[in-house]
Short mmCIF file of all heavy atoms in Angstrom, two decimals:
data_model
loop_
_atom_site.label_atom_id
_atom_site.label_comp_id
_atom_site.label_asym_id
_atom_site.label_seq_id
_atom_site.Cartn_x
_atom_site.Cartn_y
_atom_site.Cartn_z
N LEU N 226 -14.63 5.39 -13.39
CA LEU N 226 -15.97 5.52 -13.95
C LEU N 226 -16.78 6.61 -13.25
O LEU N 226 -17.48 7.39 -13.88
CB LEU N 226 -16.69 4.18 -13.84
CG LEU N 226 -17.65 3.90 -14.98
CD1 LEU N 226 -16.95 3.96 -16.31
CD2 LEU N 226 -18.31 2.56 -14.78
N GLU N 227 -16.64 6.67 -11.92
CA GLU N 227 -17.37 7.69 -11.17
C GLU N 227 -16.90 9.08 -11.54
O GLU N 227 -17.70 10.01 -11.67
CB GLU N 227 -17.21 7.47 -9.66
CG GLU N 227 -18.12 6.38 -9.14
CD GLU N 227 -17.65 5.81 -7.82
OE1 GLU N 227 -16.91 6.51 -7.10
OE2 GLU N 227 -18.02 4.66 -7.52
N VAL N 228 -15.59 9.21 -11.69
CA VAL N 228 -15.05 10.51 -12.06
C VAL N 228 -15.53 10.91 -13.45
O VAL N 228 -15.87 12.05 -13.72
CB VAL N 228 -13.51 10.51 -11.96
CG1 VAL N 228 -12.92 11.78 -12.55
CG2 VAL N 228 -13.08 10.35 -10.51
N PHE N 229 -15.63 9.92 -14.32
CA PHE N 229 -16.14 10.15 -15.67
C PHE N 229 -17.59 10.58 -15.64
O PHE N 229 -18.02 11.48 -16.33
CB PHE N 229 -16.11 8.84 -16.46
CG PHE N 229 -14.95 8.72 -17.38
CD1 PHE N 229 -13.99 7.75 -17.18
CD2 PHE N 229 -14.83 9.56 -18.47
CE1 PHE N 229 -12.93 7.62 -18.04
CE2 PHE N 229 -13.77 9.43 -19.33
CZ PHE N 229 -12.81 8.47 -19.12
N GLN N 230 -18.36 9.88 -14.81
CA GLN N 230 -19.80 10.05 -14.77
C GLN N 230 -20.16 11.41 -14.21
O GLN N 230 -21.09 12.05 -14.67
CB GLN N 230 -20.37 8.96 -13.88
CG GLN N 230 -21.87 8.92 -13.83
CD GLN N 230 -22.32 7.73 -13.00
OE1 GLN N 230 -21.53 7.10 -12.30
NE2 GLN N 230 -23.59 7.40 -13.09
N ASN N 231 -19.41 11.81 -13.20
CA ASN N 231 -19.82 12.99 -12.47
C ASN N 231 -18.63 13.90 -12.16
O ASN N 231 -18.27 14.09 -11.02
CB ASN N 231 -20.49 12.49 -11.17
CG ASN N 231 -21.43 13.53 -10.64
OD1 ASN N 231 -21.62 14.59 -11.25
ND2 ASN N 231 -21.99 13.26 -9.47
N PRO N 232 -18.01 14.43 -13.21
CA PRO N 232 -16.83 15.27 -12.96
C PRO N 232 -17.22 16.54 -12.21
O PRO N 232 -18.22 17.16 -12.55
CB PRO N 232 -16.31 15.58 -14.35
CG PRO N 232 -17.46 15.39 -15.26
CD PRO N 232 -18.37 14.40 -14.63
N GLN N 233 -16.46 16.89 -11.18
CA GLN N 233 -16.78 18.05 -10.37
C GLN N 233 -15.95 19.27 -10.78
O GLN N 233 -16.48 20.30 -11.12
CB GLN N 233 -16.55 17.74 -8.89
CG GLN N 233 -17.42 16.62 -8.36
CD GLN N 233 -18.91 16.96 -8.44
OE1 GLN N 233 -19.32 18.06 -8.09
NE2 GLN N 233 -19.71 16.03 -8.95
N ALA N 234 -14.62 19.10 -10.72
CA ALA N 234 -13.74 20.24 -10.99
C ALA N 234 -13.76 20.57 -12.48
O ALA N 234 -13.90 19.69 -13.32
CB ALA N 234 -12.33 19.89 -10.54
N PRO N 235 -13.61 21.86 -12.80
CA PRO N 235 -13.60 22.27 -14.22
C PRO N 235 -12.54 21.53 -15.03
O PRO N 235 -12.79 21.13 -16.17
CB PRO N 235 -13.28 23.77 -14.14
CG PRO N 235 -13.58 24.18 -12.75
CD PRO N 235 -13.48 23.00 -11.88
N ILE N 236 -11.37 21.31 -14.40
CA ILE N 236 -10.30 20.65 -15.14
C ILE N 236 -10.67 19.21 -15.47
O ILE N 236 -10.37 18.70 -16.56
CB ILE N 236 -8.96 20.73 -14.36
CG1 ILE N 236 -7.85 20.11 -15.21
CG2 ILE N 236 -9.03 20.02 -13.02
CD1 ILE N 236 -6.51 20.66 -14.95
N THR N 237 -11.38 18.55 -14.55
CA THR N 237 -11.81 17.17 -14.80
C THR N 237 -12.78 17.14 -15.97
O THR N 237 -12.72 16.26 -16.83
CB THR N 237 -12.48 16.59 -13.55
OG1 THR N 237 -11.70 16.95 -12.42
CG2 THR N 237 -12.57 15.09 -13.63
N LYS N 238 -13.67 18.14 -15.99
CA LYS N 238 -14.62 18.21 -17.10
C LYS N 238 -13.90 18.35 -18.43
O LYS N 238 -14.28 17.75 -19.43
CB LYS N 238 -15.59 19.39 -16.88
CG LYS N 238 -16.59 19.10 -15.77
CD LYS N 238 -17.54 20.24 -15.54
CE LYS N 238 -18.46 19.89 -14.36
NZ LYS N 238 -19.02 21.05 -13.71
N ARG N 239 -12.81 19.11 -18.40
CA ARG N 239 -12.04 19.28 -19.65
C ARG N 239 -11.44 17.95 -20.09
O ARG N 239 -11.42 17.61 -21.27
CB ARG N 239 -10.93 20.32 -19.45
CG ARG N 239 -11.41 21.73 -19.71
CD ARG N 239 -10.41 22.74 -19.25
NE ARG N 239 -9.24 22.81 -20.10
CZ ARG N 239 -8.11 23.45 -19.75
NH1 ARG N 239 -8.04 24.05 -18.58
NH2 ARG N 239 -7.09 23.49 -20.57
N PHE N 240 -10.94 17.20 -19.11
CA PHE N 240 -10.35 15.91 -19.46
C PHE N 240 -11.42 14.94 -19.98
O PHE N 240 -11.19 14.20 -20.93
CB PHE N 240 -9.63 15.30 -18.26
CG PHE N 240 -8.24 15.82 -18.08
CD1 PHE N 240 -7.86 16.48 -16.93
CD2 PHE N 240 -7.29 15.65 -19.09
CE1 PHE N 240 -6.58 16.98 -16.76
CE2 PHE N 240 -6.01 16.14 -18.93
CZ PHE N 240 -5.65 16.80 -17.77
N VAL N 241 -12.59 14.98 -19.34
CA VAL N 241 -13.66 14.09 -19.76
C VAL N 241 -14.09 14.44 -21.18
O VAL N 241 -14.32 13.57 -22.02
CB VAL N 241 -14.84 14.17 -18.77
CG1 VAL N 241 -16.05 13.43 -19.31
CG2 VAL N 241 -14.43 13.59 -17.42
N THR N 242 -14.17 15.73 -21.47
CA THR N 242 -14.52 16.17 -22.82
C THR N 242 -13.49 15.68 -23.82
O THR N 242 -13.82 15.21 -24.90
CB THR N 242 -14.57 17.71 -22.87
OG1 THR N 242 -15.25 18.16 -21.72
CG2 THR N 242 -15.27 18.17 -24.11
N GLN N 243 -12.23 15.76 -23.40
CA GLN N 243 -11.14 15.30 -24.26
C GLN N 243 -11.32 13.82 -24.60
O GLN N 243 -11.11 13.38 -25.72
CB GLN N 243 -9.81 15.53 -23.53
CG GLN N 243 -8.57 15.03 -24.26
CD GLN N 243 -7.39 14.95 -23.29
OE1 GLN N 243 -7.21 15.80 -22.43
NE2 GLN N 243 -6.59 13.92 -23.42
N ALA N 244 -11.80 13.04 -23.60
CA ALA N 244 -11.94 11.60 -23.81
C ALA N 244 -13.14 11.26 -24.67
O ALA N 244 -13.11 10.31 -25.44
CB ALA N 244 -12.04 10.90 -22.47
N THR N 245 -14.23 12.02 -24.54
CA THR N 245 -15.41 11.66 -25.31
C THR N 245 -15.51 12.46 -26.61
O THR N 245 -16.12 12.01 -27.56
CB THR N 245 -16.69 11.89 -24.48
OG1 THR N 245 -16.64 13.20 -23.93
CG2 THR N 245 -16.80 10.88 -23.37
N SER N 246 -14.90 13.62 -26.59
CA SER N 246 -14.70 14.45 -27.79
C SER N 246 -15.95 14.72 -28.61
O SER N 246 -15.89 14.92 -29.80
CB SER N 246 -13.60 13.87 -28.68
OG SER N 246 -14.07 12.73 -29.34
N THR N 247 -17.14 14.75 -27.96
CA THR N 247 -18.33 15.16 -28.71
C THR N 247 -18.64 16.62 -28.45
O THR N 247 -19.46 17.20 -29.12
CB THR N 247 -19.58 14.37 -28.27
OG1 THR N 247 -19.60 14.37 -26.86
CG2 THR N 247 -19.57 12.97 -28.83
N GLY N 248 -18.00 17.18 -27.47
CA GLY N 248 -18.38 18.50 -27.00
C GLY N 248 -17.82 19.68 -27.77
O GLY N 248 -17.91 20.80 -27.31
N GLN N 249 -17.19 19.41 -28.90
CA GLN N 249 -16.63 20.54 -29.60
C GLN N 249 -17.72 21.53 -30.03
O GLN N 249 -18.75 21.14 -30.57
CB GLN N 249 -15.85 20.07 -30.83
CG GLN N 249 -14.45 19.63 -30.48
CD GLN N 249 -14.11 18.30 -31.09
OE1 GLN N 249 -14.80 17.86 -32.00
NE2 GLN N 249 -13.08 17.67 -30.60
N LYS N 250 -17.47 22.78 -29.72
CA LYS N 250 -18.49 23.80 -29.94
C LYS N 250 -18.95 23.87 -31.39
O LYS N 250 -20.13 23.97 -31.68
CB LYS N 250 -17.95 25.17 -29.51
CG LYS N 250 -17.87 25.29 -28.00
CD LYS N 250 -17.30 26.62 -27.58
CE LYS N 250 -17.21 26.69 -26.07
NZ LYS N 250 -16.60 27.91 -25.60
N GLU N 251 -18.01 23.77 -32.31
CA GLU N 251 -18.34 23.90 -33.73
C GLU N 251 -19.35 22.83 -34.14
O GLU N 251 -20.33 23.10 -34.82
CB GLU N 251 -17.09 23.77 -34.61
CG GLU N 251 -16.05 24.84 -34.38
CD GLU N 251 -15.23 24.60 -33.14
OE1 GLU N 251 -15.20 23.46 -32.65
OE2 GLU N 251 -14.62 25.57 -32.62
N SER N 252 -19.08 21.58 -33.66
CA SER N 252 -19.93 20.50 -34.12
C SER N 252 -21.33 20.61 -33.50
O SER N 252 -22.33 20.28 -34.13
CB SER N 252 -19.31 19.15 -33.83
OG SER N 252 -19.04 19.03 -32.47
N VAL N 253 -21.41 21.12 -32.25
CA VAL N 253 -22.72 21.30 -31.62
C VAL N 253 -23.52 22.36 -32.40
O VAL N 253 -24.69 22.17 -32.71
CB VAL N 253 -22.57 21.71 -30.14
CG1 VAL N 253 -23.92 22.11 -29.56
CG2 VAL N 253 -22.00 20.54 -29.34
N ALA N 254 -22.84 23.44 -32.74
CA ALA N 254 -23.50 24.50 -33.50
C ALA N 254 -24.02 23.94 -34.83
O ALA N 254 -25.16 24.22 -35.24
CB ALA N 254 -22.52 25.63 -33.76
N GLN N 255 -23.18 23.11 -35.44
CA GLN N 255 -23.55 22.51 -36.72
C GLN N 255 -24.78 21.61 -36.55
O GLN N 255 -25.69 21.62 -37.38
CB GLN N 255 -22.36 21.72 -37.26
CG GLN N 255 -22.52 21.21 -38.68
CD GLN N 255 -22.74 22.36 -39.66
OE1 GLN N 255 -22.04 23.36 -39.65
NE2 GLN N 255 -23.76 22.23 -40.51
N MET N 256 -24.80 20.83 -35.45
CA MET N 256 -25.92 19.92 -35.21
C MET N 256 -27.22 20.70 -35.02
O MET N 256 -28.26 20.32 -35.54
CB MET N 256 -25.66 19.10 -33.94
CG MET N 256 -24.70 17.96 -34.14
SD MET N 256 -24.43 17.19 -32.54
CE MET N 256 -22.76 16.61 -32.74
N LEU N 257 -27.13 21.81 -34.25
CA LEU N 257 -28.33 22.61 -34.02
C LEU N 257 -28.86 23.19 -35.33
O LEU N 257 -30.06 23.27 -35.56
CB LEU N 257 -28.02 23.75 -33.03
CG LEU N 257 -27.89 23.32 -31.57
CD1 LEU N 257 -27.29 24.45 -30.74
CD2 LEU N 257 -29.25 22.91 -31.00
N GLU N 258 -27.91 23.52 -36.18
CA GLU N 258 -28.24 24.06 -37.50
C GLU N 258 -28.97 23.00 -38.33
O GLU N 258 -29.98 23.26 -38.97
CB GLU N 258 -26.93 24.48 -38.16
CG GLU N 258 -27.06 25.12 -39.51
CD GLU N 258 -27.44 26.60 -39.40
OE1 GLU N 258 -27.43 27.16 -38.27
OE2 GLU N 258 -27.76 27.17 -40.44
N ASP N 259 -28.43 21.78 -38.27
CA ASP N 259 -28.94 20.70 -39.12
C ASP N 259 -30.24 20.08 -38.61
O ASP N 259 -31.04 19.57 -39.38
CB ASP N 259 -27.89 19.59 -39.25
CG ASP N 259 -26.68 20.08 -40.04
OD1 ASP N 259 -26.81 21.14 -40.69
OD2 ASP N 259 -25.63 19.42 -39.99
N TYR N 260 -30.39 20.03 -37.27
CA TYR N 260 -31.57 19.35 -36.71
C TYR N 260 -32.42 20.36 -35.96
O TYR N 260 -32.33 20.51 -34.75
CB TYR N 260 -31.15 18.21 -35.79
CG TYR N 260 -30.23 17.21 -36.49
CD1 TYR N 260 -28.85 17.33 -36.40
CD2 TYR N 260 -30.78 16.17 -37.23
CE1 TYR N 260 -28.03 16.45 -37.05
CE2 TYR N 260 -29.97 15.28 -37.89
CZ TYR N 260 -28.58 15.42 -37.80
OH TYR N 260 -27.78 14.54 -38.46
N ARG N 261 -33.23 21.07 -36.72
CA ARG N 261 -34.00 22.15 -36.10
C ARG N 261 -35.24 21.64 -35.38
O ARG N 261 -35.70 22.23 -34.42
CB ARG N 261 -34.42 23.18 -37.17
CG ARG N 261 -33.26 24.04 -37.63
CD ARG N 261 -33.62 24.72 -38.94
NE ARG N 261 -32.46 25.41 -39.50
CZ ARG N 261 -32.06 26.62 -39.12
NH1 ARG N 261 -32.72 27.26 -38.18
NH2 ARG N 261 -31.01 27.18 -39.66
N GLU N 262 -35.82 20.56 -35.88
CA GLU N 262 -37.06 20.06 -35.28
C GLU N 262 -36.81 19.35 -33.96
O GLU N 262 -35.73 18.80 -33.74
CB GLU N 262 -37.71 19.06 -36.24
CG GLU N 262 -38.51 19.74 -37.35
CD GLU N 262 -39.00 18.72 -38.35
OE1 GLU N 262 -39.65 17.76 -37.92
OE2 GLU N 262 -38.69 18.86 -39.54
#
Side-chain angles (χ1 to χ4, degrees):
Chain N
L226 214 57
E227 280 159 23
V228 171
F229 259 115
Q230 185 175 12
N231 204 2
Q233 298 298 315
I236 184 152
T237 316
K238 287 180 183 157
R239 273 169 73 193
F240 277 120
V241 171
T242 317
Q243 176 196 322
T245 50
S246 74
T247 47
Q249 278 132 16
K250 287 179 181 176
E251 298 78 20
S252 57
V253 171
Q255 189 60 47
M256 282 176 210
L257 285 168
E258 183 81 9
D259 292 345
Y260 304 94
R261 286 163 188 278
E262 279 174 54

